[in-house]
Amino acid sequence: MLCDNARSGGQASQPWRAPGRARWQTNVEGAVRGSPVLRGELLYVPSVAGFLNAINIRSGRLLWRFKAPAAIHSTPSISSGRVLFGCSDGKVIAIDAVTGTKSWEAAAEDEVWTSPVVQNDAVFFGSADGDMYAVQVETGAPKWKRALGGRIYSTAHVAEKRVYVGCGDGNIYALDALTGHVFWKTATGNGIDCSPALANGTLLIGSQDFFFYALDAGSGAIRWRYEAELGITSAPAISGDPRHFRMQSWNFACVGHQNGKDHLENPNGPSDYRAFRCQRVGDLDSGGNHFCH
């Protein structure tokens, strides 16, 4: 699950053990592609059949179900008492988190698989039409639209009045959150579906060109890059030291934070957690030598 805009993920404050059996199960009317989102005791689960389900996390009881006009591939966002999500018909919909009634909708010209990102009074989302959008958080009214160079399946990261997003044209963009002006763009060797993360002024993002990039968030300059075995589509998850990201090859990589800390990768996929090999990689903050296999 996405925990917040920093993509730190959900992490329990106390050790947690998985139950030996399922506590409950609920039919959500369709396959689930977007991640469920938890707020309080309510779990919001989207489905490609176009339903957003609100489920009590303790009992599994369905409290309400909202029918969207098209499939939902987007992971919902929650802000100011609303649940926001994108649909395959280009709509972004905001509904009341308690009652499930629609508050507003905004429209792109093609499907929206990205998660809406809420910052201050704006909601930011990208579309397969190649445009990045900003709309009013209270009404869905347009604020600005910026055409980029290709389809957008990368959920944006918004911080310090900038919008960072990857694009299908292979570029990473930094936009002005207020106007949509492009501050900089940095090219990679292939399209980008991965969502970025930000840590200590370093923007982290993977590309389909098999490289994982660390960029200066201010200028877009590449500090270092790490070569993977396949294209990278999963967002980096940041949790103190070190920095982690997962690759499309089902490998799990752990990128050192400072002074070339160890990098761990599982060559046998997620079912084998014993067979890790260890390498040294560059310094996240200053960039240093890195080793590719």
Side-chain angles (χ1 to χ4, degrees):
M1 296 183 185
L2 304 180
C3 181
D4 52 29
N5 195 33
R7 309 212 171 281
S8 60
Q11 182 175 0
S13 58
Q14 300 294 328
W16 181 82
R17 295 180 62 186
R21 59 184 176 82
R23 294 182 177 177
W24 51 260
Q25 63 180 31
T26 300
N27 188 337
V28 296
E29 300 294 338
V32 177
R33 298 289 174 83
S35 298
V37 176
L38 179 65
R39 173 62 62 90
E41 292 194 354
L42 285 185
L43 186 69
Y44 300 95
V45 185
S47 81
V48 295
F51 292 101
L52 182 72
N53 303 270
I55 300 169
N56 182 282
I57 193 66
R58 296 187 181 276
S59 66
R61 183 169 66 93
L62 179 69
L63 300 183
W64 52 257
R65 174 176 287 149
F66 177 85
K67 181 63 174 75
I72 306 173
H73 295 271
S74 166
T75 293
S77 302
I78 304 175
S79 179
S80 302
R82 297 186 181 95
V83 184
L84 303 93
F85 57 90
C87 300
S88 62
D89 66 347
K91 297 286 196 311
V92 170
I93 299 175
I95 63 176
D96 187 283
V98 176
T99 66
T101 57
K102 185 168 72 172
S103 298
W104 53 260
E105 69 177 42
E109 297 179 8
D110 205 340
E111 60 188 10
V112 176
W113 282 32
T114 65
S115 298
V117 178
V118 181
Q119 186 75 275
N120 299 324
D121 65 344
V123 180
F124 304 91
F125 60 91
S127 168
D129 63 13
D131 290 342
M132 193 70 198
Y133 294 80
V135 301
Q136 294 279 354
V137 70
E138 293 296 329
T139 64
K143 291 175 71 71
W144 54 258
K145 180 174 75 170
R146 177 64 58 188
L148 303 184
R151 81 286 185 277
I152 302 172
Y153 290 110
S154 166
T155 293
H157 184 100
V158 184
E160 299 178 355
K161 299 181 180 180
R162 291 195 176 191
V163 180
Y164 301 98
V165 67
C167 187
D169 66 352
N171 286 304
I172 306 158
Y173 289 85
L175 312 178
D176 188 315
L178 297 179
T179 66
H181 169 74
V182 178
F183 285 120
W184 55 257
K185 67 177 182 179
T186 298
T188 71
N190 207 334
I192 301 173
D193 297 322
C194 175
S195 299
L198 187 66
N200 301 327
T202 299
L203 190 73
L204 304 167
I205 192 167
S207 172
Q208 292 281 14
D209 68 357
F210 295 19
F211 282 96
F212 181 77
Y213 291 83
L215 285 71
D216 183 284
S219 66
I222 296 174
R223 292 182 170 176
W224 54 260
R225 63 180 190 167
Y226 168 75
E227 185 175 15
E229 293 180 354
L230 286 175
I232 300 170
T233 58
S234 296
I238 302 173
S239 180
D241 297 335
R243 310 306 190 200
H244 307 271
F245 65 94
R246 183 170 62 84
M247 293 175 285
Q248 182 177 320
S249 60
W250 297 103
N251 289 359
F252 180 85
C254 172
V255 178
H257 176 221
Q258 291 181 340
N259 302 321
K261 286 189 177 182
D262 289 340
H263 159 270
L264 301 175
E265 182 176 321
N266 186 347
N268 298 326
S271 62
D272 185 355
Y273 295 99
R274 297 167 299 174
F276 282 88
R277 64 179 179 270
C278 182
Q279 290 179 291
R280 308 285 289 186
V281 297
D283 186 324
L284 173 64
D285 296 322
S286 62
N289 293 331
H290 64 279
F291 299 86
C292 303
H293 57 145

